Amino acid sequence: MIVGLGAMGSNTLMQLARREVKVLGIEQFEPGHSRGASHGGSRIIRTAYAEGAKYVPLAQRAWQLWTELENLSGERLLDKTGGLVIAPTGSAPLLAPIASANAHHLPYELFDPHQMRQRYPQHQLDDETTAFYEEDAGLLRPEKAVCAAIRIAEHLGAKVLTRTEVTEIIPDAKRPRVRIGHEEIVAKHVVVAAGAWLTKLAPTAMSRVEVVRRVFGWFESDDAAAYTAERFPVFIRTDATGSYNWYGIPSVDGSPVKVAVHNWPSLDEPVDPAVGARQPDDHDAELLADIVTRTLPGLRPQPVKLQSCMYSLTPDHHFLVGGRADLPGLTVLGGFSGHGFKFATVIGEIAADLAMWDKTRWEVDFLSPERFDKID
């Protein structure tokens, strides 16, 4: 059984259905909804992973599985645009993707400010900035991807309940149970992929996870052709410490350019998942407009649309993937900290492995949900 059919749950459902496992998926909203963290029209996918070299094999497998999902669905879910990390020269946020690329022999280029102005004049940057470029980066269409995975799973025999709220999960090594209203459903294994709602459904796993609000906006330009995927790669931009970090995604299917904040200390506003992230306001518009004015002057500074979402942040910003001794019969998928969507296909494969065999060929020990238990 899968609880939650966002990015991770939908792919787990599909993986199990493809293995001819009898599986039920439960979603409290409609597939592709905007109440969690699997929406917003686009997400970045990249390979030379600044968050740690251990992610690179997972990212490479995710690429393969996204392509497979795209072929199975017959829909365009993935665009390879290349990707930039723009940071102060010699800073840790710049050295991190270089180290990750070198550890796995991935090709990349470094552009100084003069080269950047020639290749990507859309970006405004000073002389103390360097850009890391990798070809194996691009964008994903999250809502379409989630719905495609669920549709394929249903076609293969999976059962899906939507608009159905799970109120309790009862761990048990042999007969874990899920409560829906006054009804209990018994399963052989439960994969809990409920996003921020894990704080309610599996609180011991999420005891150190903070759910916070984030906002993204879309910006138009007088030269729309300059911001298409062919001319404007996805990018991440950061200060020397990584404390202030934002990203951008080119025009997708004719939409404006997306700009969003990833890290920004003043924006860590707690969110109750049951209530949802507060709607964007003038302060959000002003913050994004200021970023655009300073760094992307070819865009009109007023957003044409804003949207909010929830981040589930672990203390180390790594994911929670696996089981816990105090939650027998359950696999926990959560705490994806604002950079997990790109891994949804491989996380689905890993979760299916764990549900069926309690092991996987992928190295995920560093993502153990028990790793914070001994921290005071």
Side-chain angles (χ1 to χ4, degrees), residues 136-159:
D136 288 340
L139 63 89
L140 295 159
R141 296 164 173 80
E143 294 93 340
K144 288 184 178 181
V146 167
C147 292
I150 294 172
R151 187 171 64 252
I152 291 166
E154 288 187 294
H155 178 74
L156 294 172
K159 303 299 181 184

Side-chain angles (χ1 to χ4, degrees), residues 211-264:
V211 180
V212 298
R213 174 180 177 270
R214 288 292 185 270
V215 173
F216 29 85
W218 287 262
F219 296 81
E220 293 181 328
S221 170
D222 292 329
D223 183 9
Y227 295 91
T228 60
E230 294 75 22
R231 295 175 59 185
F232 187 65
V234 299
F235 74 87
I236 297 169
R237 192 154 180 175
T238 178
D239 71 344
T241 67
S243 298
Y244 294 88
N245 176 307
W246 65 99
Y247 63 92
I249 299 176
S251 174
V252 180
D253 305 325
S255 70
V257 175
K258 181 179 175 181
V259 177
V261 169
H262 177 66
N263 287 336
W264 208 273

Side-chain angles (χ1 to χ4, degrees), residues 2 11 13 30 57 65 81 124 131-132 136 169 185 210 371:
I2 317 297
N11 278 278
L13 184 81
E30 288 293 331
L65 292 172
T81 68
Q124 179 75 37
F132 169 96
D136 288 340
I169 299 173
I185 304 176
E210 181 184 14
R371 67 184 184 275

Side-chain angles (χ1 to χ4, degrees), residues 48-346:
Y49 220 63
E51 288 81 352
K54 288 183 178 181
Y55 284 103
V56 172
L58 300 178
Q60 291 172 318
R61 179 58 174 163
W63 270 99
Q64 295 172 354
L65 292 172
W66 282 119
T67 302
E68 197 173 278
L69 175 57
E70 192 173 54
N71 292 335
L72 287 170
S73 69
E75 290 193 72
R76 187 176 181 181
L77 305 176
L78 172 64
D79 284 2
K80 190 174 181 179
T81 68
L84 293 163
V85 176
I86 304 170
T89 303
S91 66
L94 182 68
L95 297 177
I98 294 173
S100 184
N102 288 339
H104 292 275
H105 309 290
L106 305 177
Y108 65 91
E109 298 178 75
L110 296 176
F111 300 141
D112 63 27
H114 175 71
Q115 292 168 317
M116 274 292 289
R117 290 167 190 138
Q118 288 184 317
R119 293 193 57 159
Y120 303 114
Q122 302 94 329
H123 292 275
Q124 179 75 37
L125 64 168
D126 60 35
D127 291 337
E128 305 304 318
T129 301
T130 298
F132 169 96
Y133 175 82
E134 64 169 328
E135 185 177 343
D136 288 340
L139 63 89
L140 295 159
R141 296 164 173 80
E143 294 93 340
K144 288 184 178 181
V146 167
C147 292
I150 294 172
R151 187 171 64 252
I152 291 166
E154 288 187 294
H155 178 74
L156 294 172
K159 303 299 181 184
V160 173
L161 295 177
T162 62
R163 296 187 177 278
T164 303
E165 182 182 3
V166 171
T167 56
E168 186 181 5
I169 299 173
I170 304 165
D172 187 280
K174 295 182 179 179
R175 290 170 52 85
R177 304 183 301 285
V178 165
R179 185 164 291 152
I180 301 170
H182 298 294
E183 179 185 2
E184 281 190 0
I185 304 176
V186 179
K188 290 184 178 179
H189 194 88
V190 178
V191 177
V192 193
W197 286 267
L198 271 164
T199 55
K200 309 292 186 183
L201 296 174
T204 57
M206 297 286 278
S207 63
R208 296 186 177 274
V209 174
E210 181 184 14
V211 180
V212 298
R213 174 180 177 270
R214 288 292 185 270
V215 173
F216 29 85
W218 287 262
F219 296 81
E220 293 181 328
S221 170
D222 292 329
D223 183 9
Y227 295 91
T228 60
E230 294 75 22
R231 295 175 59 185
F232 187 65
V234 299
F235 74 87
I236 297 169
R237 192 154 180 175
T238 178
D239 71 344
T241 67
S243 298
Y244 294 88
N245 176 307
W246 65 99
Y247 63 92
I249 299 176
S251 174
V252 180
D253 305 325
S255 70
V257 175
K258 181 179 175 181
V259 177
V261 169
H262 177 66
N263 287 336
W264 208 273
S266 65
L267 294 186
D268 280 350
E269 175 184 318
V271 177
D272 179 350
V275 176
R278 181 173 56 81
Q279 291 300 305
D281 58 20
D282 290 344
H283 174 74
D284 300 314
E286 290 169 4
L287 173 60
L288 292 175
D290 178 64
I291 290 171
V292 165
T293 299
R294 290 186 291 106
T295 63
L296 295 166
L299 298 179
R300 299 173 192 164
Q302 294 304 314
V304 295
K305 183 174 75 168
L306 294 167
Q307 196 169 29
S308 57
C309 73
M310 292 184 287
Y311 272 19
S312 296
L313 298 175
T314 64
D316 59 10
H317 289 199
H318 296 311
F319 313 151
L320 304 175
V321 177
R324 287 179 55 91
D326 62 346
L327 297 175
L330 272 57
T331 292
V332 173
L333 306 178
F336 288 98
S337 299
H339 65 106
F341 189 93
K342 65 184 72 63
F343 294 100
T345 49
V346 69

